[in-house]
Amino acid sequence: MADADWSDWMVAAQRGDAAAYRRLLAELERWLRGYYGRRLPPGTVDDAIQDTLLAIHEKRHTFEPGRPLGPWVAAIARYKWIDRLRSMSAHRTEELLDGTDPALSVADHGDAVGAGVVLERLLARLKPAQARVVRLVKLRGLSIEEASRLTGQSAALVKVNIHRGLRRMGAMAQGSSDDE
């Protein structure tokens, strides 16, 4: 954790500095992805991150300047993790019998899961700025302007990073090395 930077950014955000707040949220999202990635099933990580960032946003006025932000964030993340675990245990699943009942049949999602794994591997090989905007705009459906606000990149840079990222992913998928 870059706690000193985080604390400085939070204090600046409390004073109304939107750029510092964007930087802080971007760093916290990256940290939370690792935190929850080790503790929760992959399909629940994004929701846990969003819940935590929302809680941080709603409670930002309670942060005391001069104190480290890391433990404050870690406490919120831990409580949200516990909430997520409780929610998961409350929604237990039951085993399907033999699968012969057409009303209970489930489509095979193997191809989609495999494609998702390949996509994540390709994204992991991009520059972080490129991967982030590709995820935001192409996978999550945000606009260029929304991605610009979230990442601190200009709208033009978001477009360039998407173009370069997609081009590099295509080259990697075809087996050539397009290192930028």
Side-chain angles (χ1 to χ4, degrees):
M1 282 192 241
D3 204 32
D5 289 339
W6 288 7
S7 298
D8 291 344
W9 292 337
M10 178 59 95
V11 170
Q14 286 175 324
R15 292 185 188 137
D17 185 339
Y21 195 46
R22 280 192 303 274
R23 280 193 307 269
L24 174 64
L25 292 177
E27 288 295 317
L28 293 178
E29 180 182 355
R30 192 177 355 263
W31 183 82
L32 289 167
R33 186 159 304 285
Y35 179 85
Y36 290 127
R38 293 184 302 274
R39 291 169 174 82
L40 292 171
T44 63
V45 170
D46 284 337
D47 288 340
I49 290 170
Q50 292 306 312
D51 288 346
T52 306
L53 290 176
L54 184 58
I56 289 168
H57 176 73
E58 290 173 346
K59 299 295 181 186
R60 70 187 182 279
H61 67 280
T62 67
F63 174 71
E64 298 175 23
R67 302 208 45 176
L69 185 68
W72 186 80
V73 168
I76 293 172
R78 182 176 179 276
Y79 287 120
K80 290 299 177 182
W81 172 56
I82 292 168
D83 289 347
R84 182 71 47 183
L85 292 176
R86 284 184 185 135
S87 174
M88 288 168 46
S89 68
H91 297 96
R92 297 176 62 174
T93 58
E94 293 188 26
E95 185 178 336
L96 295 176
L97 300 175
D98 65 358
T100 57
D101 182 354
L104 297 176
S105 66
V106 177
D108 180 8
H109 297 289
D111 290 341
V113 170
V117 169
V118 170
L119 179 62
E120 281 303 317
R121 286 183 182 155
L122 291 172
L123 285 167
R125 293 176 56 192
L126 294 180
K127 293 178 181 177
Q130 291 173 348
R132 182 133 193 258
V133 294
V134 167
R135 279 188 177 97
L136 291 172
V137 175
K138 297 300 183 181
L139 300 179
R140 290 181 51 194
L142 272 61
S143 70
I144 298 293
E145 291 76 22
E146 290 169 322
S148 174
R149 281 193 300 275
L150 282 172
T151 62
Q153 298 176 27
S154 69
L157 183 56
V158 168
K159 290 177 186 178
V160 167
N161 277 332
I162 290 171
H163 174 75
R164 289 180 179 170
L166 293 176
R167 188 179 70 213
R168 183 151 187 250
M169 288 171 65
M172 288 185 290
Q174 292 176 357
S176 67
S177 64
D178 180 20
D179 293 326
E180 262 183 56

